[in-house]
Amino acid sequence: MLLERREFLKGTLAGSVLAMLPGCSGSDDDSSGNGPQQPTGNAPNDRRLVAPAWLIGARVAGMEISPGQELWEIQDGLDKLADERVSVVELDGDLSRYMTDAEFQEQVAFFDLAAKEAKNRGMRSVGYYPTLEVLTPDADKGARTMRLDHPDWVQVGIDGKENYFIGGGGRVFWVDPGEESAWMCPSSGYVDYFTSRVAVLAKTALDGLWGDVPLLSDIGAVFPCINATCAARFQNDTGLPLPTVLNWDDPVFRRWVKWRHELISSFEQEILRVAKSVRNDFEVIIETVTMDYNAGTSQGLDGAAMDDGGVYRCWEVDAVSDESAMHDATANDWISMAVMMRHGKGATAPRPSWIFSYGLDAPDAEYVMALAIVTGNSPYETKIPLMCTSVGHDYRKRMYSWIERNVDVYNARFANDAAIIFSSASRDFLDRNTGVGLYASLNSKDQFWWSTTGMDLVTALDFMGDYRGTCKALIHSHVPYDVVTTPHVTPDILSRYRFVAVPSAVSLSDDVLSALDGFAKNGGTVLFSGLDTGIYDEHGAPFSTTRLADTFGLTPVQDDWTSVPREKGKIVVAGFRAGGQYFAKDDPNILSRYGQAAGDAGAVIRTNAPPPVVMDVRRSLNGSTYLLCANLQGLGVGGVGSFAPVDATFDVTLPDMGKTPTKVTLSDPSADRDIPFNHTDGAVTFTVTMHALMLATISFA
C-alpha cells in the first residue's frame, strides 16, 4: 500500500506557553518583500501568468513551531534558516489535530508571531494545514473525535468502509498509537468548516497556506468516496448513478474515476477562492504526493488531470526508500525520479513549481537537488523521511547560495524543442490501478523500500512503462523535453515544439487529437506508441475504432514502426509500447528510432555526453542561453545498493541564435569559471566537465 509521507509535530518541544496574541494581523504593507511581479511561462505565445516573485526560484525549508516554545527558540530557528539562505519557511504547527475554536486560535496566534519573525529576516512563510485528514488523540480511550461528531463528513470507500483507522506504528508513522486518523469528504459540510479556518489564517502575517495532500485516501477504505453527499454530487454533475463496485469495464465506473479528479480539483479551487476573498496576496500551495504514477488513480489527487488556475504546488517526489533515500536506487529508479520531477514542472507550467528534495546525506542529496533544479523546480530541502529536517547546515547553505546567485534560471523561458503528452485518463483507464508504478526495483533488505511486489514496478504496467520509457529514451538521446498535460494541449502550446511524443494515450479528447493533427500538418513530428491510441474519449466512453485510423488514416502493424507524411510534417507510430520495452531493457534499436525521429525534427542537442546526463535549455530575459545538466552517470548501474557516481566530461554544440557569443561560463555549487569556446557555422561549441549539477551560460553581444 502506497502511503503519503509528511511529519506532524506532536508538541514535544519544551518551553513555557506564550500568552495568546491579541488578534491577527494581515500583511498590508509593501515592506513584506513582494517586489515586482515576475512573468513566468514557457514561450512568448504560451499561457502567461504573473506570479509573486517570492514563489519563483524559492529556497524552501520546514520549521516546527508550537505554542509551547519560547520566543527565542523561534528566533534562533529562523536565524539558522536565514543563514542557510532559505527564502520560504514552511511553518509546521499542530493544525492536523481536531481542536476547539479556542485551541485553533492559539495555533493561529503562534503562526502569526512566527510569520512576523520570518518577515523580519527577509523570509516568506506558509502555514502547514492538512486538508482532509483530521487526527484525534486518545480515540482508543473514548475521546470525542471528528468521525463521531460528524459521521456524514467521513469518506466512505466503494467497499462500504468508513475511511479512518487508529494509529499504532508502522509506515503511518505520523499517527500516534491510540490516535484516530479520519479522512474527510470534499463534497460534505467539512469544506465550509475547513475553508472558514483558512480564512482566519489568511488574516495573519503568513504569506500563504500549505495545504497538505487533499486525498481520497486509500489507507482506511478502498476507492473513496461513495457517501451520500458524493452520490448526490456525482448524479448532479454527470447525470449518472454512483457505481458501487470496482468494474473497469463499466463506462460509468470510468467516468466516476475521472470525476474523482474533478472533485479534488474543485475542493482546491474553493480553498483558493476563500483565501483570496480575504487577502488577494495570500497564496495557496498544495502539497501533491501523487506524481505521474497510479496513486493518482486510486487517491484522486492528480496535478496533471485539470488546469490548476491560481493554485501552486509543491510536489512530494518520494525517494525509493524512507530509510536510505536514493542512495541504494538503481539506474532506472534514478531515471524515474528525473521523469517525475520533469512531470511536476510540466503539470504546473507556467506557474512556479516547488518539489521535495530528499536526501540521506550530502553525496546522494546533491544529485536529487540537481534534478530538481535542472527540471525547473524550486527545491524543498530535507532529510528523509521528515519535513522539518536537513541533510546538513553546510550542504543546504552551499546549494541554496548557488540558487540565490543563479535565480535568473527560474525566470528564463524554457526553450526545449520536444514535448511529451501526458494523459491522466489514459493512465487511469489503461493501467487500471493494478500496481503503483512508482519505482523500478525491489529490495527485501530494506523494510521502507517503496515497491514491495513485482506488480508495483514500472515495468509491470502498460501506461507507466511506456510513458517513463519514452521519457528515458529522450533523455538518453539528449532530447530536452517538456511535459504537456492534456488539459493544456492546444495548437498554441504545441506550436513552439518540433517533436511531440504521445505514449499509450488510450484516452484523448477530440480537441487534443485535432491539435496534434494540426501540429503535424504545420510541420511537426508526432510519435505515437501503441495501437490503442484514443480508444476512449476523455471521460472513458469507448469508441468502436482506434482514433489513429479515424483521425490520421493510419493502420499500423503490430510490433512494427510506421512513418507517413502529414502535409508539412510527419506521423510516426510504433505498433507496440516501444517506451515500455526500452524502460525494461536499453534496446539500442528502439533508442535509435526515438533519436532519429526527434533528430529529423531538429530537437536533439549535438553532444557526446553520456546517455544519463539530463539536459534542459532555456533563454534568459537578457538574451543569454542557459544549458542546465544533471549527471546521473554511474548511479545505480550495478543494481540495488550501487551508489557509484562518475563525473562526466563532454562537448556540447548549441545554436548561436543569429548573435555573436562573447563568453561561456560554467557554474556549479563549488565555483564559476569562464571557459574557451568555438563559434563556427552558426553554432557555439564548448566542453563541460561536471559532478552532479552544471549550468552553462552563453552570453552574447
Side-chain angles (χ1 to χ4, degrees):
M1 181 181 296
L2 177 67
L3 304 181
E4 64 281 359
R5 180 205 300 112
R6 61 252 186 240
E7 179 189 18
F8 290 86
L9 179 63
K10 300 303 181 186
T12 58
L13 295 176
S16 61
V17 178
L18 290 173
M20 277 284 292
L21 298 179
C24 301
S25 63
S27 61
D28 54 3
D29 64 305
D30 291 333
S31 64
S32 59
N34 254 341
Q37 302 292 289
Q38 298 288 340
T40 67
N42 289 349
N45 62 350
D46 200 353
R47 294 168 291 136
R48 306 297 291 177
L49 179 82
V50 176
W54 64 272
L55 291 165
I56 304 169
R59 307 176 301 278
V60 192
M63 190 178 86
E64 297 171 343
I65 63 170
S66 167
Q69 291 175 284
E70 297 279 9
L71 176 59
W72 64 263
E73 293 179 272
I74 297 296
Q75 293 171 331
D76 283 357
L78 291 171
D79 285 342
K80 180 181 178 183
L81 295 180
D83 183 59
E84 294 169 341
R85 311 313 301 157
V86 170
S87 65
V88 180
V89 185
E90 179 262 331
L91 295 171
D92 201 330
D94 201 18
L95 294 183
S96 56
R97 183 167 53 85
Y98 186 34
M99 60 183 66
T100 65
D101 288 343
E103 290 171 328
F104 177 72
Q105 287 293 342
E106 182 182 21
Q107 290 282 328
V108 168
F110 208 74
F111 272 109
D112 188 56
L113 172 65
K116 290 175 179 176
E117 291 292 335
K119 195 159 294 183
N120 289 340
R121 289 157 178 79
M123 294 184 289
R124 297 307 186 101
S125 63
V126 291
Y128 175 90
Y129 195 177
T131 53
L132 292 176
E133 184 186 34
V134 182
L135 303 177
T136 308
D138 300 323
D140 60 340
K141 298 176 182 177
R144 295 300 300 175
T145 70
M146 174 65 86
R147 178 182 66 91
L148 293 174
D149 287 349
H150 300 283
D152 55 327
W153 291 1
V154 178
Q155 296 175 16
V156 176
I158 203 166
D159 57 354
K161 293 182 179 179
E162 290 182 291
N163 197 3
Y164 81 99
F165 64 95
I166 304 299
R171 296 181 77 162
V172 194
F173 60 84
W174 64 89
V175 182
D176 284 344
E179 189 170 50
E180 178 189 274
S181 168
W183 288 83
M184 301 293 103
C185 174
S187 68
S188 70
Y190 172 79
V191 175
D192 291 337
Y193 167 89
F194 180 80
T195 55
S196 67
R197 292 193 166 187
V198 169
V200 175
L201 288 169
K203 296 176 182 178
T204 69
L206 289 167
D207 296 287
L209 172 79
W210 180 285
D212 184 38
V213 292
L215 301 174
L216 297 169
S217 172
D218 58 3
I219 296 178
V222 176
F223 259 80
C225 175
I226 63 163
N227 68 9
T229 54
C230 272
R233 183 161 175 172
F234 181 69
Q235 176 79 39
N236 181 71
D237 290 349
T238 67
L240 299 170
L242 195 73
T244 56
V245 294
L246 284 167
N247 181 5
W248 285 99
D249 293 325
D250 178 9
V252 175
F253 178 80
R254 292 194 296 268
R255 180 65 187 95
W256 179 64
V257 170
K258 174 74 180 298
W259 176 82
R260 294 164 82 246
H261 298 314
E262 298 165 5
L263 177 64
I264 294 296
S265 176
S266 67
F267 175 53
E268 294 172 342
Q269 294 302 317
E270 180 62 10
I271 296 171
L272 178 68
R273 185 193 68 79
V274 171
K276 292 292 187 180
S277 71
V278 176
R279 210 177 92 210
N280 193 51
D281 66 345
F282 189 81
E283 307 300 340
V284 174
I285 297 96
I286 298 295
E287 182 182 336
T288 306
V289 68
T290 48
M291 299 298 301
D292 56 350
Y293 55 94
N294 286 334
T297 304
S298 62
Q299 299 180 354
L301 174 62
D302 186 345
M306 309 291 291
D307 189 297
D308 283 340
V311 168
Y312 299 96
R313 294 195 186 276
C314 182
W315 301 90
E316 186 180 2
V317 183
D318 285 311
V320 74
S321 168
D322 267 0
E323 184 173 71
S324 58
M326 294 297 290
H327 193 276
D328 295 333
T330 66
N332 269 349
D333 291 331
W334 279 100
I335 285 290
S336 290
M337 173 165 276
V339 171
M340 283 189 279
M341 289 192 170
R342 181 77 72 179
H343 175 88
K345 179 58 185 177
T348 311
R351 297 170 301 283
S353 176
W354 299 354
I355 211 155
F356 277 72
S357 182
Y358 283 117
L360 174 66
D361 50 30
D364 79 294
E366 185 167 350
Y367 285 90
V368 174
M369 192 178 293
L371 286 173
I373 295 168
V374 169
T375 54
N377 296 283
S378 295
Y380 181 133
E381 191 276 321
T382 189
K383 182 178 176 67
I384 201 80
L386 305 179
M387 284 180 66
C388 296
T389 57
S390 174
V391 166
H393 172 81
D394 293 341
Y395 163 75
R396 179 185 280 171
K397 184 174 183 177
R398 177 168 62 91
M399 299 301 291
Y400 276 9
S401 295
W402 185 88
I403 294 174
E404 186 177 30
R405 295 195 306 272
N406 293 282
V407 72
D408 283 349
V409 300
Y410 286 96
N411 282 308
R413 176 175 65 86
F414 282 67
N416 300 322
D417 290 321
I420 293 181
I421 306 303
F422 179 86
S423 164
S424 294
S426 296
R427 176 207 57 211
D428 294 344
F429 304 151
L430 183 56
D431 285 351
R432 300 187 170 193
N433 201 44
T434 54
V436 175
L438 177 58
Y439 280 111
S441 64
L442 301 174
N443 183 3
S444 60
K445 296 180 180 179
D446 186 339
Q447 64 175 325
F448 294 109
W449 206 259
W450 278 99
S451 298
T452 56
T453 64
M455 67 183 295
D456 284 334
L457 301 182
V458 176
T459 49
L461 302 169
D462 284 340
F463 179 86
M464 285 306 304
D466 200 26
Y467 173 67
R468 293 268 182 93
T470 299
C471 296
K472 175 182 174 179
L474 295 192
I475 290 170
H476 283 185
S477 299
H478 300 303
V479 180
Y481 68 91
D482 298 335
V483 172
V484 179
T485 57
T486 47
H488 301 133
V489 176
T490 65
D492 191 44
I493 294 297
L494 295 182
S495 67
R496 70 184 180 89
Y497 300 109
R498 300 169 182 264
F499 173 81
V500 172
V502 191
S504 289
V506 299
S507 173
L508 293 174
S509 70
D510 287 338
D511 287 344
V512 169
L513 284 163
S514 176
L516 290 168
D517 191 30
F519 170 74
K521 289 177 178 177
N522 287 325
T525 296
V526 182
L527 190 157
F528 295 99
S529 51
L531 295 174
D532 45 8
T533 297
I535 60 173
Y536 303 114
D537 71 7
E538 67 271 31
H539 299 305
F543 292 105
S544 58
T545 60
T546 171
R547 310 306 289 284
L548 286 175
D550 292 347
T551 303
F552 303 103
L554 290 172
T555 54
V557 179
Q558 183 78 28
D559 297 330
D560 198 4
W561 292 82
T562 303
S563 178
V564 296
R566 190 68 170 171
E567 296 188 6
K568 297 178 182 179
K570 182 166 57 175
I571 303 290
V572 180
V573 180
F576 61 108
R577 305 197 199 284
Q581 288 197 20
Y582 187 71
F583 188 87
K585 182 180 180 180
D586 293 2
D587 186 326
N589 293 323
I590 293 177
L591 181 64
S592 175
R593 291 282 191 172
Y594 278 102
Q596 181 179 349
D600 289 348
V604 176
I605 287 182
R606 292 164 55 190
T607 181
N608 58 0
V613 173
V614 181
M615 295 183 172
D616 198 79
V617 180
R618 300 176 205 170
R619 311 286 183 213
S620 75
L621 298 178
N622 65 7
S624 298
T625 293
Y626 294 141
L627 173 70
L628 291 103
C629 302
N631 175 29
L632 302 182
Q633 186 176 206
L635 299 182
V637 295
V640 171
S642 173
F643 182 74
V646 177
D647 289 355
T649 299
F650 51 89
D651 298 327
V652 178
T653 299
L654 295 173
D656 64 8
M657 311 301 293
K659 298 179 289 186
T660 301
T662 57
K663 67 176 179 177
V664 174
T665 304
L666 297 185
S667 177
D668 63 28
S670 62
D672 296 352
R673 57 195 181 279
D674 293 340
I675 61 170
F677 63 91
N678 292 321
H679 181 217
T680 56
D681 299 326
V684 184
T685 301
F686 52 92
T687 300
V688 172
T689 297
M690 65 175 298
H691 179 57
L693 169 69
M694 184 61 69
L695 165 65
T697 303
I698 306 175
S699 302
F700 297 96

